[in-house]
Amino acid sequence: MKNIVEKHELKQLDILNKLSLRETFHRIKNQLCQLYSIIQLNSDSPNLSMDFIDMVLKRLKAMITVQDILSLNQEDSIDLVKLSETLSSKLITDVYGKSISLSVLGDKVDVAPDVALAEAAIINELITNSVKHAFSGVEFAKIDIEISDIGDKFAFEYRDNGPGFSNSKCDNKGFTIGLSLLKTYPLLINGASEIYHQGHFCYKMTASKLGK
């Protein structure tokens, strides 16, 4: 009888934890929406650069999209391939309004919510970088994402078909803020990353599925 009660209590606690996590994502989304509105209302200020405002608004809109996707998840873990495909597609079409061919392939990899949040931030920066820097003069823009299951870890690879840059520029001094963040985010989930040039821009990271 005691075991039955304990199992019931654990199940109830699990349900409450899931509801709490979804509610947290929902609150964050609402706060980001409020911040988005505030910046938009002040966009006519002569002291603010329109390019800067546009960059901030698009990043905020991308973050809102991330939180919206995560808040709708009903499970303890999140399918990384599904998250990558859904988020990338929404960022390309809804946030940046671009026509870019997107391919997301790989193994089914389930990750913890905090890993999914960090990965979503990485995807946001990668898409932002590609849209801003990669496709000028490119007739057929293309982004490829591949995800591999490697035991208790996973590998995430991202490539666009822009001209890229020389490997000599792949040090922190040559990075923009966005590319610097791509080196930092994986460290938050016990991961490692590499940015390199292989005819085009390439990014690869490995991390623990649990982020620990």
Side-chain angles (χ1 to χ4, degrees), residues 62-105:
M63 291 166 68
I64 291 167
T65 301
V66 168
Q67 296 299 331
D68 194 31
I69 292 171
L70 295 178
S71 67
L72 295 174
N73 185 70
Q74 303 292 318
E75 305 297 330
D76 293 329
S77 57
I78 296 170
D79 184 333
L80 197 53
V81 170
K82 185 176 180 180
L83 172 67
S84 299
E85 186 170 20
T86 303
L87 178 58
S88 298
S89 179
K90 282 182 174 291
L91 290 173
I92 290 168
T93 57
D94 297 350
V95 177
Y96 293 105
K98 299 294 184 180
S99 178
I100 299 171
S101 174
L102 173 68
S103 172
V104 181
L105 301 173

Side-chain angles (χ1 to χ4, degrees), residues 189-203:
I189 52 173
N190 195 28
S193 64
E194 179 186 7
I195 297 174
Y196 59 97
H197 176 79
Q198 201 171 60
H200 308 287
F201 172 83
C202 302
Y203 176 85

Side-chain angles (χ1 to χ4, degrees), residues 79-198:
D79 184 333
L80 197 53
V81 170
K82 185 176 180 180
L83 172 67
S84 299
E85 186 170 20
T86 303
L87 178 58
S88 298
S89 179
K90 282 182 174 291
L91 290 173
I92 290 168
T93 57
D94 297 350
V95 177
Y96 293 105
K98 299 294 184 180
S99 178
I100 299 171
S101 174
L102 173 68
S103 172
V104 181
L105 301 173
D107 305 319
K108 178 173 170 52
V109 175
D110 293 321
V111 298
D114 59 336
V115 175
L117 191 59
E119 190 64 35
I122 289 168
I123 291 171
N124 178 26
E125 292 302 328
L126 287 167
I127 298 289
T128 299
N129 178 69
S130 291
V131 170
K132 285 182 66 178
H133 303 294
F135 299 132
S136 178
V138 175
E139 185 176 352
F140 181 73
K142 192 173 188 300
I143 290 173
D144 293 300
I145 294 174
E146 186 172 351
I147 295 165
S148 304
D149 187 335
I150 47 177
D152 60 347
K153 296 184 178 182
F154 68 91
F156 172 91
E157 294 185 69
Y158 176 101
R159 297 177 295 276
D160 64 40
N161 66 334
F165 45 79
S166 65
N167 285 324
S168 63
K169 291 185 179 180
C170 294
D171 55 45
N172 286 332
K173 292 182 180 179
F175 282 168
T176 64
I177 292 175
L179 292 181
S180 296
L181 289 173
L182 291 174
K183 299 285 286 185
T184 303
Y185 282 134
L187 301 178
L188 302 177
I189 52 173
N190 195 28
S193 64
E194 179 186 7
I195 297 174
Y196 59 97
H197 176 79
Q198 201 171 60

